[in-house]
Amino acid sequence: VTDKEEIAFTAQVIPVVFDVRPGDPLGIKLLYRNQGNVQIRPQARVVVKQDAEIAGADARVVGETIFPYPAGTAPVKPREEGTVTVQWPTYGLAEGKYFAEVTASEGAVEQTDDFAFSVSAKAAAPGERAGASGGGVNPALLAGVIVAAAVIGGALIMRRRA
């Protein structure tokens, strides 16, 4: 036990999707692991640059947003994890490749993570699985049901013969 407040955490950035339609928000999950001895409420700064291939110092910044820790969300307690999801607006972005750099900060402590994403009219709509066909049947689920029915049917036939 110490009387010194220690702020220490890791932040992992997980995009909800890697491809968004023009104008749809880019969902970003932030997973915080509090390694300090005080509660934390990190803010997140999202900087988006054009073209994931040239996301170095020369890449053009197309947007920057600071997301305060949500007021209605409990702080992350020491030695615990917490998740916050933010929605970065893509309005005005042309179709193409982008690079997001996300920096979580609490006091003087910062953690940065990044990822590439694209804006494309071909991307799945929010809540829709990529490659899904408008409410169609999931092929893997259908195959599982068919196999289960065959196994059960075979067992019943074997039982009748016995």
Coordinates of all heavy atoms in Angstrom, one line a residue, residues 70-115:
P70 N -17.1 9.4 -21.3 CA -18.5 9.6 -21.2 C -19.0 9.8 -19.7 O -18.6 9.1 -18.8 CB -19.1 8.3 -21.7 CG -18.1 7.7 -22.5 CD -16.8 8.1 -21.9
A71 N -19.7 10.9 -19.5 CA -20.2 11.3 -18.2 C -21.0 10.2 -17.5 O -20.9 10.1 -16.3 CB -21.0 12.6 -18.3
G72 N -21.8 9.5 -18.2 CA -22.6 8.4 -17.6 C -21.9 7.1 -17.4 O -22.5 6.1 -16.9
T73 N -20.6 7.0 -17.7 CA -19.9 5.8 -17.6 C -19.0 5.8 -16.3 O -18.3 6.8 -16.1 CB -19.0 5.6 -18.8 OG1 -19.9 5.6 -20.0 CG2 -18.3 4.3 -18.8
A74 N -19.1 4.7 -15.6 CA -18.3 4.6 -14.4 C -16.8 4.6 -14.7 O -16.4 4.1 -15.7 CB -18.6 3.3 -13.6
P75 N -16.0 5.3 -13.9 CA -14.5 5.3 -14.2 C -14.0 3.8 -14.0 O -14.6 3.0 -13.4 CB -13.9 6.2 -13.1 CG -15.0 6.4 -12.1 CD -16.3 6.0 -12.7
V76 N -12.8 3.6 -14.6 CA -12.1 2.3 -14.6 C -11.4 2.2 -13.3 O -10.5 3.0 -13.0 CB -11.2 2.1 -15.8 CG1 -10.6 0.7 -15.7 CG2 -11.9 2.3 -17.1
K77 N -11.8 1.3 -12.4 CA -11.1 1.1 -11.1 C -9.8 0.5 -11.2 O -9.5 -0.2 -12.2 CB -12.0 0.3 -10.2 CG -13.4 0.9 -9.9 CD -14.2 0.0 -9.1 CE -15.6 0.7 -8.8 NZ -16.5 -0.2 -8.0
P78 N -8.9 0.7 -10.2 CA -7.6 0.1 -10.2 C -7.7 -1.4 -10.5 O -8.5 -2.1 -9.9 CB -7.0 0.4 -8.8 CG -7.7 1.6 -8.4 CD -9.1 1.5 -9.0
R79 N -6.8 -1.9 -11.3 CA -6.6 -3.4 -11.6 C -7.9 -3.9 -12.3 O -8.1 -5.1 -12.3 CB -6.3 -4.2 -10.4 CG -5.2 -3.7 -9.6 CD -3.9 -3.9 -10.3 NE -2.8 -3.3 -9.6 CZ -1.7 -2.7 -10.1 NH1 -1.6 -2.6 -11.4 NH2 -0.8 -2.2 -9.4
E80 N -8.7 -3.1 -13.0 CA -9.8 -3.5 -13.7 C -9.8 -3.0 -15.1 O -8.9 -2.2 -15.5 CB -11.1 -3.1 -13.0 CG -11.4 -3.7 -11.7 CD -12.7 -3.5 -11.1 OE1 -13.6 -2.8 -11.7 OE2 -12.9 -3.9 -9.9
E81 N -10.7 -3.5 -15.9 CA -10.8 -3.1 -17.3 C -12.1 -2.4 -17.6 O -13.1 -2.6 -16.9 CB -10.8 -4.3 -18.3 CG -9.5 -5.1 -18.3 CD -9.5 -6.3 -19.2 OE1 -10.5 -6.6 -19.8 OE2 -8.4 -6.9 -19.4
G82 N -12.1 -1.5 -18.6 CA -13.3 -0.8 -19.0 C -13.3 -0.6 -20.5 O -12.2 -0.5 -21.1
T83 N -14.5 -0.5 -21.1 CA -14.6 -0.3 -22.5 C -15.5 0.9 -22.8 O -16.5 1.0 -22.2 CB -15.2 -1.6 -23.2 OG1 -14.4 -2.7 -22.9 CG2 -15.3 -1.4 -24.7
V84 N -15.1 1.7 -23.7 CA -15.8 2.8 -24.2 C -15.9 2.8 -25.7 O -14.9 2.4 -26.3 CB -15.2 4.2 -23.7 CG1 -15.8 5.3 -24.4 CG2 -15.2 4.3 -22.2
T85 N -17.0 3.0 -26.3 CA -17.1 3.1 -27.7 C -17.5 4.5 -28.2 O -18.4 5.1 -27.6 CB -18.2 2.1 -28.2 OG1 -17.9 0.8 -27.8 CG2 -18.3 2.1 -29.8
V86 N -16.7 5.0 -29.1 CA -17.0 6.3 -29.7 C -17.3 6.2 -31.1 O -17.0 5.2 -31.8 CB -15.7 7.3 -29.5 CG1 -15.4 7.5 -28.0 CG2 -14.5 6.8 -30.2
Q87 N -18.0 7.2 -31.7 CA -18.4 7.2 -33.1 C -17.8 8.4 -33.7 O -18.1 9.6 -33.4 CB -19.9 7.3 -33.2 CG -20.7 6.2 -32.5 CD -20.6 4.9 -33.2 OE1 -20.5 4.8 -34.4 NE2 -20.5 3.8 -32.5
W88 N -16.8 8.1 -34.6 CA -16.1 9.2 -35.3 C -16.9 9.5 -36.6 O -17.1 8.6 -37.4 CB -14.7 8.9 -35.6 CG -13.9 10.0 -36.1 CD1 -13.3 11.0 -35.3 CD2 -13.6 10.4 -37.4 NE1 -12.7 11.9 -36.1 CE2 -12.9 11.6 -37.4 CE3 -13.9 9.9 -38.7 CZ2 -12.4 12.2 -38.5 CZ3 -13.5 10.5 -39.8 CH2 -12.7 11.7 -39.7
P89 N -17.3 10.7 -36.9 CA -18.1 11.0 -38.1 C -17.3 11.0 -39.3 O -16.2 11.6 -39.3 CB -18.7 12.5 -37.8 CG -17.7 13.1 -36.8 CD -17.1 11.9 -36.0
T90 N -17.8 10.4 -40.4 CA -17.1 10.3 -41.6 C -17.7 11.3 -42.7 O -17.3 11.2 -43.9 CB -17.0 8.9 -42.2 OG1 -18.4 8.5 -42.5 CG2 -16.4 7.9 -41.3
Y91 N -18.6 12.1 -42.3 CA -19.2 13.0 -43.2 C -18.2 13.9 -44.0 O -17.3 14.4 -43.4 CB -20.2 14.0 -42.5 CG -21.4 13.2 -41.9 CD1 -21.4 13.1 -40.5 CD2 -22.4 12.6 -42.7 CE1 -22.4 12.3 -39.9 CE2 -23.4 11.9 -42.1 CZ -23.4 11.7 -40.7 OH -24.4 11.0 -40.1
G92 N -18.3 14.0 -45.3 CA -17.4 14.8 -46.1 C -16.2 14.0 -46.5 O -15.4 14.5 -47.3
L93 N -16.0 12.8 -46.1 CA -14.8 12.0 -46.5 C -15.1 11.4 -47.9 O -16.1 10.8 -48.0 CB -14.4 10.9 -45.5 CG -13.8 11.4 -44.2 CD1 -13.4 10.1 -43.4 CD2 -12.6 12.3 -44.4
A94 N -14.2 11.5 -48.8 CA -14.3 10.8 -50.1 C -14.0 9.3 -49.9 O -13.4 8.9 -48.9 CB -13.3 11.4 -51.1
E95 N -14.5 8.5 -50.8 CA -14.1 7.1 -50.8 C -12.6 7.0 -50.9 O -12.0 7.7 -51.6 CB -14.8 6.4 -51.9 CG -16.3 6.2 -51.7 CD -17.0 5.2 -52.7 OE1 -16.3 4.2 -53.0 OE2 -18.1 5.5 -53.1
G96 N -12.1 6.0 -50.1 CA -10.7 5.8 -50.1 C -10.1 5.2 -48.9 O -10.9 4.8 -48.0
K97 N -8.8 5.1 -48.7 CA -8.2 4.5 -47.6 C -7.8 5.6 -46.6 O -7.3 6.7 -47.0 CB -7.0 3.7 -48.0 CG -7.3 2.5 -48.9 CD -6.1 1.8 -49.3 CE -6.4 0.6 -50.2 NZ -5.2 -0.1 -50.5
Y98 N -7.9 5.3 -45.3 CA -7.6 6.3 -44.3 C -6.8 5.6 -43.1 O -6.8 4.3 -43.0 CB -8.8 6.9 -43.7 CG -9.5 7.8 -44.7 CD1 -10.5 7.2 -45.6 CD2 -9.2 9.1 -44.9 CE1 -11.1 8.0 -46.6 CE2 -9.9 9.9 -45.8 CZ -10.8 9.3 -46.7 OH -11.4 10.1 -47.6
F99 N -6.2 6.3 -42.3 CA -5.4 5.8 -41.2 C -5.9 6.6 -39.9 O -5.9 7.8 -39.9 CB -4.0 6.1 -41.5 CG -3.0 5.6 -40.4 CD1 -2.6 4.3 -40.4 CD2 -2.5 6.5 -39.5 CE1 -1.7 3.9 -39.4 CE2 -1.6 6.1 -38.5 CZ -1.2 4.8 -38.5
A100 N -6.3 5.9 -38.9 CA -6.7 6.5 -37.6 C -5.7 6.3 -36.5 O -5.3 5.2 -36.3 CB -8.1 6.0 -37.2
E101 N -5.3 7.4 -35.9 CA -4.4 7.3 -34.8 C -5.2 7.7 -33.5 O -5.7 8.8 -33.5 CB -3.2 8.2 -35.0 CG -2.2 8.2 -33.9 CD -1.0 9.1 -34.2 OE1 -1.1 10.3 -33.9 OE2 0.0 8.6 -34.7
V102 N -5.3 6.8 -32.6 CA -6.1 7.1 -31.4 C -5.2 7.2 -30.1 O -4.4 6.2 -29.9 CB -7.1 6.0 -31.2 CG1 -8.0 6.3 -30.0 CG2 -8.0 5.9 -32.4
T103 N -5.2 8.3 -29.5 CA -4.4 8.5 -28.3 C -5.3 8.7 -27.1 O -6.2 9.6 -27.0 CB -3.5 9.8 -28.4 OG1 -2.7 9.6 -29.5 CG2 -2.6 10.0 -27.2
A104 N -5.2 7.8 -26.1 CA -5.9 7.9 -24.8 C -5.0 8.5 -23.8 O -3.8 8.2 -23.7 CB -6.3 6.5 -24.4
S105 N -5.6 9.5 -23.1 CA -4.7 10.2 -22.1 C -5.5 10.4 -20.8 O -6.7 10.6 -20.8 CB -4.2 11.5 -22.7 OG -5.3 12.3 -23.0
E106 N -4.7 10.3 -19.7 CA -5.2 10.6 -18.4 C -4.1 11.3 -17.7 O -3.0 10.7 -17.4 CB -5.5 9.3 -17.6 CG -5.9 9.5 -16.2 CD -7.4 10.0 -16.0 OE1 -8.2 9.9 -16.9 OE2 -7.7 10.4 -14.9
G107 N -4.3 12.6 -17.4 CA -3.2 13.4 -16.9 C -2.0 13.4 -17.9 O -2.3 13.7 -19.1
A108 N -0.8 13.2 -17.5 CA 0.3 13.2 -18.3 C 0.6 11.9 -19.0 O 1.5 11.7 -19.8 CB 1.6 13.6 -17.5
V109 N -0.2 10.8 -18.7 CA 0.0 9.5 -19.2 C -0.8 9.4 -20.5 O -2.0 9.6 -20.6 CB -0.4 8.4 -18.2 CG1 -0.2 7.0 -18.8 CG2 0.4 8.6 -16.9
E110 N -0.1 8.9 -21.6 CA -0.7 8.7 -22.9 C -0.4 7.3 -23.5 O 0.7 6.8 -23.2 CB -0.2 9.8 -23.9 CG -0.7 11.1 -23.7 CD -0.3 12.1 -24.8 OE1 0.5 11.7 -25.6 OE2 -0.9 13.2 -24.8
Q111 N -1.4 6.8 -24.1 CA -1.2 5.5 -24.9 C -1.8 5.7 -26.3 O -2.9 6.2 -26.4 CB -2.0 4.4 -24.2 CG -1.5 4.0 -22.8 CD -0.2 3.2 -22.9 OE1 0.0 2.3 -23.7 NE2 0.8 3.6 -22.1
T112 N -1.0 5.3 -27.3 CA -1.4 5.5 -28.7 C -1.5 4.2 -29.4 O -0.6 3.3 -29.2 CB -0.5 6.4 -29.4 OG1 -0.5 7.7 -28.7 CG2 -0.9 6.7 -30.8
D113 N -2.5 4.0 -30.2 CA -2.7 2.8 -31.0 C -3.3 3.3 -32.4 O -3.8 4.5 -32.4 CB -3.7 1.9 -30.4 CG -3.6 0.4 -30.9 OD1 -2.8 0.2 -31.8 OD2 -4.3 -0.4 -30.4
D114 N -3.2 2.5 -33.4 CA -3.7 3.0 -34.7 C -4.2 1.9 -35.5 O -4.0 0.7 -35.2 CB -2.6 3.8 -35.5 CG -1.3 3.0 -35.6 OD1 -1.4 1.8 -36.0 OD2 -0.3 3.5 -35.3
F115 N -4.9 2.2 -36.6 CA -5.4 1.2 -37.5 C -5.8 1.9 -38.9 O -6.0 3.1 -38.9 CB -6.7 0.5 -37.0 CG -7.9 1.4 -36.7 CD1 -8.8 1.5 -37.7 CD2 -8.0 2.0 -35.5 CE1 -9.9 2.4 -37.4 CE2 -9.1 2.8 -35.2 CZ -10.0 3.0 -36.2

